[in-house]
Amino acid sequence: MNDTWMHGPSEWGDAVRTRLFEHRTLLLRGTLDDGTATQAAAELMTLDATGDARITVHLDLAGGTLEAAFAVMDVIDLVGVPVHTLCVGRAEGGAVGILAVSTRR
């Protein structure tokens, strides 16, 4: 077994995010603020630049700022690959726009 999984909760969370990223999947959860939007935009652009397969976004967002939602929506609209979005929890406020702008919901 990979020893990465044997560390504390922070390392485990990072390992899960890394594994999801390798499978072209993003997990957006919590509150959609500028930091979350910036990270999501960077990850979307990186995945777009590194392959032609679809990107899957899992949403569990409890509100946030409209500006952050528009930033993520703009990046989803500009990437050259299909973006499929799944709501795996809540999609409140601007998160509904992220869900709506995706290629497939």
Side-chain angles (χ1 to χ4, degrees):
M1 178 177 227
N2 187 346
D3 66 346
T4 305
W5 300 98
M6 304 302 281
H7 298 291
S10 178
E11 291 86 10
W12 184 81
D14 292 340
V16 170
R17 286 186 77 80
T18 301
R19 180 71 56 97
L20 287 171
F21 190 77
E22 290 170 358
H23 290 278
R24 301 180 65 80
T25 300
L26 303 181
L27 179 60
L28 298 179
R29 47 188 316 232
T31 303
L32 186 60
D33 58 9
D34 291 341
T36 304
T38 300
Q39 181 176 353
E43 290 176 353
L44 285 164
M45 289 185 283
T46 300
L47 289 173
D48 183 40
T50 59
D52 294 329
R54 76 164 189 243
I55 299 169
T56 303
V57 178
H58 291 215
L59 289 181
D60 183 14
L61 295 170
T65 67
L66 212 49
E67 292 82 8
F70 282 136
V72 175
M73 289 165 54
D74 286 344
V75 173
I76 289 173
D77 194 39
L78 291 174
V79 296
V81 298
V83 178
H84 295 187
T85 303
L86 300 161
C87 184
V88 295
R90 296 173 290 185
E92 299 175 4
V96 175
I98 295 171
L99 191 61
V101 77
S102 298
T103 308
R104 187 173 208 181
R105 302 163 267 310

